[in-house]
Amino acid sequence: MILALADGVSFRQTNTGLVMLFNRVSGIMYELNETAAEIAKIVADGATRLDELVDRMCVAFDGDSALIGEDTRRFVSDFIKLGIVTAREGED
């Protein structure tokens, strides 16, 4: 699965460190916690395979890699349901 920010969605980080995704189509702004912010940062850098994203999250955060993988997949699923990340078929 290849992930990318949806059309009309922009990534913003303020000078105070607050990280947000703004959906210009719906007008909704999402304030992100640390985990969601790291996922959004990676995806905003360019189309990313899900397995690559999980690997990068395991490097960014200490902990059980299986749990980090589950959390990452849950966040990605939520982002897709919200329409702020798109997924297309591809090698995972």
Side-chain angles (χ1 to χ4, degrees):
M1 178 185 313
I2 309 295
L3 307 169
L5 288 184
D7 290 339
V9 174
S10 57
F11 175 86
R12 296 281 185 255
Q13 185 165 4
T14 68
N15 57 359
T16 61
L18 181 66
V19 177
M20 297 173 285
L21 288 176
F22 179 60
N23 185 332
R24 294 183 306 271
V25 175
S26 68
I28 298 174
M29 185 172 293
Y30 301 91
E31 184 177 331
L32 306 178
N33 68 20
E34 182 182 8
T35 304
E38 186 65 26
I39 292 168
K41 248 186 261 188
I42 293 168
V43 173
D45 282 342
T48 307
R49 288 189 342 263
L50 180 57
D51 63 337
E52 178 186 339
L53 174 62
V54 170
D55 289 346
R56 290 179 65 182
M57 291 297 289
C58 287
V59 169
F61 293 94
D62 290 330
D64 181 288
S65 59
L67 183 57
I68 292 170
E70 287 175 28
D71 288 347
T72 301
R73 285 178 173 80
R74 189 183 76 247
F75 272 108
V76 166
S77 176
D78 290 346
F79 284 173
I80 291 168
K81 288 176 189 172
L82 291 169
I84 54 180
V85 167
T86 60
R88 62 179 162 75
E89 292 303 313
E91 281 190 33
D92 181 38

